[in-house]
Amino acid sequence: MTAPDPTLAATLHTERAHHDACRAALAAMVEGAAEQVVVGEDVSASGADAEVLGRRLRSRAKAMRELPPGPLFFGRLDFADGAPGHGGQRYHLGRLRITEDPAAPPLVVDWRAPVSRAFYQASARDPQGVEVRRRFGWAPGSNGDSTDLTGLEDEHLARGEARTSDIVAREIERPRVGPMRDIAATIQPEQDDLVRAAFTDSVCVQGAPGTGKTAVGLHRAAYLLYTHPKRLQRAGLLILGPNRTFLHYVAEVLPSLGETGVRQATLMEEIACHPATGGDPTAAAVLKHDPRMAEVLRRALYAHVTTDGVRDLAVPDGSYRWRVPAAELAAVVAEVRAEQPPYAVGRERVRTRVVRRLREKAERRSGVLPAAWVRRIERARPLTEHLDTVWPRVRPEEVLARLLTDGAVLSRAADGLLDPDEQTTLLWPRPPRSFRSARWSAADLVLLDELSGLIEHPEGYGHIVVDEAQDLSPMECRAIARRAAFGSLTVLGDLAQGTTAWAARDWSVQLRHLGRPDAAVVPLTTGFRVPAAVMELSNRLLPRLGVRVPSAESLRTDGELTFRPTDDVPGTTVTAVTEALGHEGSVGVVAADTDVDAVRQALAAAGLDPAGPDALGARVTVVPASMVKGLEYDHVVAVEPAAVAEAEERGAHRLYVVLTRAVSRLDVVHARPLPF
């Protein structure tokens, strides 16, 4: 038996004592934040100031109270005596800054602080002034008790010493049970470059499975909230995910990094102004998501603007009437329309310019007029009636319902854009009595958002993180672009995992629809989640997918891949799950959507009690292939891959997603030939 290292034991004792001090300081910070709420509201100069300050302080106190339990630091940097700016300094790194007093040196430095970057970027070749980089090993699932600090590793970078970290490897390979974890302790240099990209930079991450693209996006959000808090408090930050299951899975990452109150939503939740109670045939849905529809909708909207039959305008002012000739009115409308403002803005510009002409006439006769006169004329009934004729108010629902029910209206709007067969495909087979009784489909809601954006620009965000962006249609991309008109984007995706009928095949096209044609496309090809054997199997599908993406490589040399040919798929699935439960971690059973019920029944009959895809933390989960994107399980049982590949037009892409959900082990259960 090897005798314990007394030096290591003494070092661990010192670091545990430091962690105890950090825990006490954090408790004092939480208590102090609560006290500031009371004091801050009392000392404000005005009621408005008190409201703003109180809201800010309450938000900070709430975030402090809701910090998830866990270790308070994961690393340490010891700088050499001559290091510029940090000579001889020592910093512990964690998920948030901890200090005993605002004026005192911090006990823990936030991982997002500039000095922390050396922890992720320093190397033996370029130590960046770091003498020693220390990583701490904590017991799996630790709530942050100091006794859970079980090990540490030191890299003496100043000596040119580099090592592969066992602590990082164990953290990456740790079983996936429950929601997604943050990766602040394991960020790699290429990931760190993306996380710390400038606020104004829009970036696109083409990330192979298991390369951490989702984690990079979430950590970039946390980094931007840390470095630009005031700007993002005003403008907001939005996380867009593909479905609610995915958002549940990633929901704890930002709170674990000390960031709460960030909106996380699906695109449909962000844009829908009505419930999606209707449906579309596939051909109609694909056509509604086509980028040509943007021009069809613009034409349909501006068809309401007309100067046909316009008459002279006479506005009463006491006993006098001010007049604007019809030709002059038509010129104003034409002038505003040529400027292409949002529709509602255009209507008000016409009003303003007509009033200006009336005011000029009146002031030539009566001298300078007060603002009250202008306000009265602006709301004069003859002027409003004139506006209702040449530039009427419209609702998006009214415009779209008329377009989809009236063949003549659609024909005029789609002339030269859609052929007659496509126009017929778009028309509702059974028109509703009115737009108020329409049952809108999900694709209709995207069109309504386009119309809403043409009428009046939506309120935007300072930054939007878009995950699974390869599955967005051009029209969905336009909806996001409108909300990021004055902000920036982090676009995350993998063209090989595109499964919708309109999925992107080229990032340059997708980024153009997102309004960011110049955004850099950065590939991540080194996998940390998927074992090498599973990744090699998945790479065999890439030639069938019709997209140009680099093959991924895995740093994981562990993991198991098992093929189970069988004549009894349900029984063999039960056997595979039973054996998987002999290992630690989660088990995801993934089948074609049409086969899920049969698989669930077989597992339930065997007493294995499978959960649905929304059940976080369950040992055994049965997931339809259509819902597994973005999720991960320690052990995946892929049931009948041929059925998954044949279930839809882009079934090979779907199968690629299914195979790459495995973190440690993959079982392939099949009665039919494999489509690899």
Side-chain angles (χ1 to χ4, degrees):
M1 179 181 295
T2 304
D5 182 349
T7 303
L8 175 60
T11 303
L12 282 173
H13 177 78
T14 300
E15 295 290 6
R16 286 169 181 158
H18 183 73
H19 193 267
D20 287 334
C22 294
R23 179 67 64 192
L26 178 60
M29 288 170 63
V30 173
E31 182 178 352
E35 291 177 356
Q36 286 177 358
V37 172
V38 177
V39 175
E41 291 177 334
D42 289 342
V43 301
S44 299
S46 68
D49 289 342
E51 184 177 349
V52 171
L53 181 59
R55 185 165 58 247
R56 187 174 301 168
L57 292 174
R58 284 193 298 273
S59 177
R60 173 174 171 76
K62 182 175 182 289
M64 296 285 290
R65 288 195 308 271
E66 294 179 355
L67 281 172
L72 300 181
F73 54 75
F74 54 77
R76 197 181 86 182
L77 289 173
D78 295 359
F79 282 90
D81 288 338
H86 303 287
Q89 297 296 313
R90 174 181 297 171
Y91 303 102
H92 285 77
L93 276 62
R95 288 162 181 81
L96 78 162
R97 186 178 191 272
I98 300 175
T99 180
E100 293 174 309
D101 183 271
L107 299 174
V108 176
V109 174
D110 195 297
W111 67 277
R112 297 165 288 187
V115 69
S116 302
R117 188 166 198 188
F119 183 80
Y120 303 108
Q121 296 284 351
S123 64
R125 182 173 297 177
D126 178 20
Q128 300 185 16
V130 177
E131 189 169 52
V132 180
R133 173 168 54 203
R134 174 170 291 177
R135 301 181 190 272
F136 297 100
W138 294 84
S142 171
N143 286 326
D145 294 331
S146 296
T147 53
D148 291 338
L149 177 55
T150 57
L152 55 86
E153 294 173 346
D154 283 346
E155 292 177 89
H156 294 271
L157 301 180
R159 303 178 191 169
E161 175 187 304
R163 59 180 294 177
T164 300
S165 171
D166 292 334
I167 287 176
V168 171
R170 286 198 301 271
E171 175 63 22
I172 291 173
E173 296 169 11
R174 185 150 61 91
R176 262 62 172 176
V177 178
M180 183 179 183
R181 304 188 301 262
D182 70 79
I183 61 165
T186 61
I187 291 173
Q188 302 300 299
E190 64 274 18
Q191 295 173 324
D192 185 64
D193 288 335
L194 291 165
V195 167
R196 297 176 192 264
F199 181 92
T200 54
D201 289 349
S202 290
V203 297
C204 174
V205 181
Q206 160 57 43
T211 55
K213 58 182 176 294
T214 297
V216 164
L218 293 171
H219 285 68
R220 187 179 186 211
Y223 174 78
L224 293 177
L225 288 164
Y226 174 84
T227 52
H228 302 278
K230 292 183 179 179
R231 189 168 180 179
L232 285 174
Q233 282 170 3
R234 291 193 305 269
L237 190 147
L238 172 66
I239 307 292
L240 282 178
N243 53 57
R244 184 43 57 181
T245 299
F246 173 85
L247 291 172
H248 285 159
Y249 179 61
V250 305
E252 294 303 316
V253 173
L254 287 174
S256 72
L257 297 171
E259 300 296 346
T260 59
V262 176
R263 177 164 168 75
Q264 302 188 34
T266 66
L267 179 60
M268 196 52 59
E269 290 170 344
E270 181 66 20
I271 71 172
C273 51
H274 301 281
T277 56
D280 284 311
T282 300
V286 170
L287 193 53
K288 288 177 180 179
H289 283 283
D290 191 289
R292 292 174 294 170
M293 288 301 299
E295 177 61 18
V296 172
L297 294 172
R298 192 194 68 78
R299 291 180 183 177
L301 174 63
Y302 280 91
H304 292 80
V305 177
T306 179
T307 55
D308 293 344
V310 66
R311 300 177 181 178
D312 292 353
L313 172 66
V315 179
D317 183 15
S319 61
Y320 197 80
R321 289 181 178 270
W322 301 109
R323 298 182 181 275
V324 178
E328 193 173 340
L329 294 172
V332 169
V333 172
E335 176 186 87
V336 171
R337 182 167 183 173
E339 295 168 1
Q340 298 186 346
Y343 185 92
V345 174
R347 175 183 163 92
E348 293 310 308
R349 282 188 187 175
V350 171
R351 184 196 302 274
T352 300
R353 294 181 190 183
V354 171
V355 170
R356 183 191 304 157
R357 282 163 171 76
L358 294 170
R359 183 177 183 176
E360 289 170 354
K361 294 175 183 289
E363 288 186 339
R364 281 198 293 269
R365 179 178 179 179
S366 306
V368 177
L369 294 168
W373 184 93
V374 174
R375 289 194 296 269
R376 178 165 54 82
I377 296 297
E378 283 177 340
R379 301 306 161 192
R381 178 176 293 180
L383 177 54
T384 299
E385 290 175 348
H386 167 74
L387 282 173
D388 290 340
T389 299
V390 299
W391 204 298
R393 296 183 188 274
V394 293
R395 295 184 59 180
E397 294 86 351
E398 180 184 5
V399 176
L400 184 58
R402 189 178 177 208
L403 184 73
L404 299 181
T405 57
D406 190 326
V409 171
L410 177 58
S411 178
R412 288 192 295 271
D415 182 38
L417 294 171
L418 306 178
D419 63 39
D421 288 342
E422 289 175 318
Q423 294 177 32
T424 301
T425 298
L426 276 180
L427 288 171
W428 281 339
R430 284 182 290 184
R433 295 177 185 174
S434 73
F435 72 87
R436 292 182 177 84
S437 60
R439 299 179 70 238
W440 305 105
S441 69
D444 291 334
L445 297 180
V446 177
L447 300 183
L448 288 175
D449 189 75
E450 179 77 21
L451 282 166
S452 296
L454 287 169
I455 293 172
E456 192 166 8
H457 290 320
E459 186 175 346
Y461 292 88
H463 190 81
I464 303 178
V465 177
V466 189
D467 210 345
E468 302 295 349
Q470 77 282 345
D471 277 334
L472 295 169
S473 73
M475 294 300 287
E476 289 173 324
C477 288
R478 289 176 61 87
I480 295 170
R482 282 190 291 276
R483 288 159 174 80
F486 302 102
S488 52
L489 294 175
T490 298
V491 180
L492 312 168
D494 179 9
L495 297 178
Q497 298 185 57
T499 53
T500 58
W502 41 76
R505 297 181 180 275
D506 186 291
W507 281 122
S508 65
V509 175
Q510 197 76 335
L511 289 170
R512 188 171 69 249
H513 291 312
L514 285 165
R516 296 296 185 279
D518 298 327
V521 180
V522 181
L524 290 179
T525 58
T526 302
F528 307 98
R529 171 173 57 80
V530 182
V534 176
M535 187 63 76
E536 289 168 6
L537 173 68
S538 305
N539 283 339
R540 286 160 56 183
L541 273 173
L542 286 179
R544 293 187 54 186
L545 304 186
V547 292
R548 296 181 61 183
V549 298
S551 298
E553 298 181 356
S554 176
L555 293 181
R556 300 276 302 279
T557 57
D558 62 332
E560 300 173 14
L561 172 61
T562 305
F563 294 96
R564 296 180 184 257
T566 180
D567 293 328
D568 178 16
V569 169
T572 304
T573 300
V574 170
T575 300
V577 173
T578 303
E579 293 180 8
L581 289 171
H583 300 275
E584 187 180 5
S586 57
V587 181
V589 185
V590 189
D593 290 31
T594 53
D595 296 339
V596 163
D597 287 342
V599 169
R600 186 177 287 114
Q601 290 169 10
L603 293 173
L608 294 176
D609 191 27
D614 289 331
L616 298 178
R619 281 301 308 277
V620 180
T621 306
V622 177
V623 190
S626 64
M627 294 183 64
V628 78
K629 186 175 291 184
L631 305 180
E632 56 185 38
Y633 301 93
D634 291 287
H635 193 124
V636 168
V637 179
V639 180
E640 201 61 272
V644 174
E646 295 171 2
E648 54 188 304
E649 180 181 350
R650 296 175 70 94
H653 294 255
R654 184 78 69 188
L655 180 57
Y656 181 82
V657 174
V658 170
L659 298 178
T660 55
R661 301 305 94 197
V663 174
S664 298
R665 295 169 298 280
L666 172 64
D667 266 320
V668 181
V669 177
H670 64 102
R672 301 168 56 188
L674 294 171
F676 306 128

